[in-house]
Amino acid sequence: MQIPKTLLYEEFGGRKYYRRGYRDVLLGLRNEGEILPNNFLLGLIVSAILFHLKTILSKKKYWCPIYETGQYGNEDETLVNDIAVVEKSKILNPPPLIIITPRPTSSSKSI
């Protein structure tokens, strides 16, 4: 059975990690909208965390990219970062110092 790419959360080391509840979608018990995160709620959470980080981190030393900027290794590795803290001195493919991925529960419904 082919699993839709929309149910893929991230890939790492050649292994695919699917969204929580993807089996229910494949069995027809739920639809994709029921297991995908609530973007409005996620946006509020990310905004609150980002605001707090910007008050405690040095603006001269760190960047805080948001909204699934992704950290890419090779072709089969993509890690999702909702918020990452990176050093400005490491501008080319910087390894994040901190990765924050707040996710609502799988029972949350999309708007």
Side-chain angles (χ1 to χ4, degrees):
M1 173 181 275
Q2 184 70 16
I3 300 174
K5 287 195 176 232
T6 54
L7 298 178
L8 180 65
Y9 181 66
E10 63 188 16
E11 289 183 60
F12 183 72
R15 184 177 169 133
K16 295 180 179 185
Y17 296 89
Y18 294 95
R19 295 184 183 279
R20 187 180 327 159
Y22 82 96
R23 288 187 183 110
D24 290 344
V25 173
L26 296 178
L27 293 172
L29 302 173
R30 299 168 77 184
N31 63 47
E32 287 184 34
E34 290 176 311
I35 69 162
L36 295 175
N38 179 320
N39 290 331
F40 179 74
L41 178 58
L42 184 59
L44 289 176
I45 294 169
V46 168
S47 295
I49 294 170
L50 183 63
F51 177 80
H52 180 68
L53 286 173
K54 288 189 171 262
T55 62
I56 62 172
L57 295 174
S58 167
K59 292 178 179 93
K60 292 181 180 181
K61 191 172 181 182
Y62 300 104
W63 274 325
C64 296
I66 60 171
Y67 291 114
E68 299 189 3
T69 54
Q71 191 67 25
Y72 302 96
N74 56 37
E75 283 182 17
D76 63 345
E77 292 181 355
T78 304
L79 298 175
V80 176
N81 306 327
D82 283 317
I83 303 172
V85 176
V86 296
E87 291 180 83
K88 287 185 175 183
S89 62
K90 298 177 181 176
I91 193 165
L92 298 175
N93 198 18
L97 298 172
I98 300 170
I99 297 173
I100 301 170
T101 307
R103 294 286 169 185
T105 63
S106 61
S107 62
S108 298
K109 296 198 180 209
S110 295
I111 295 175

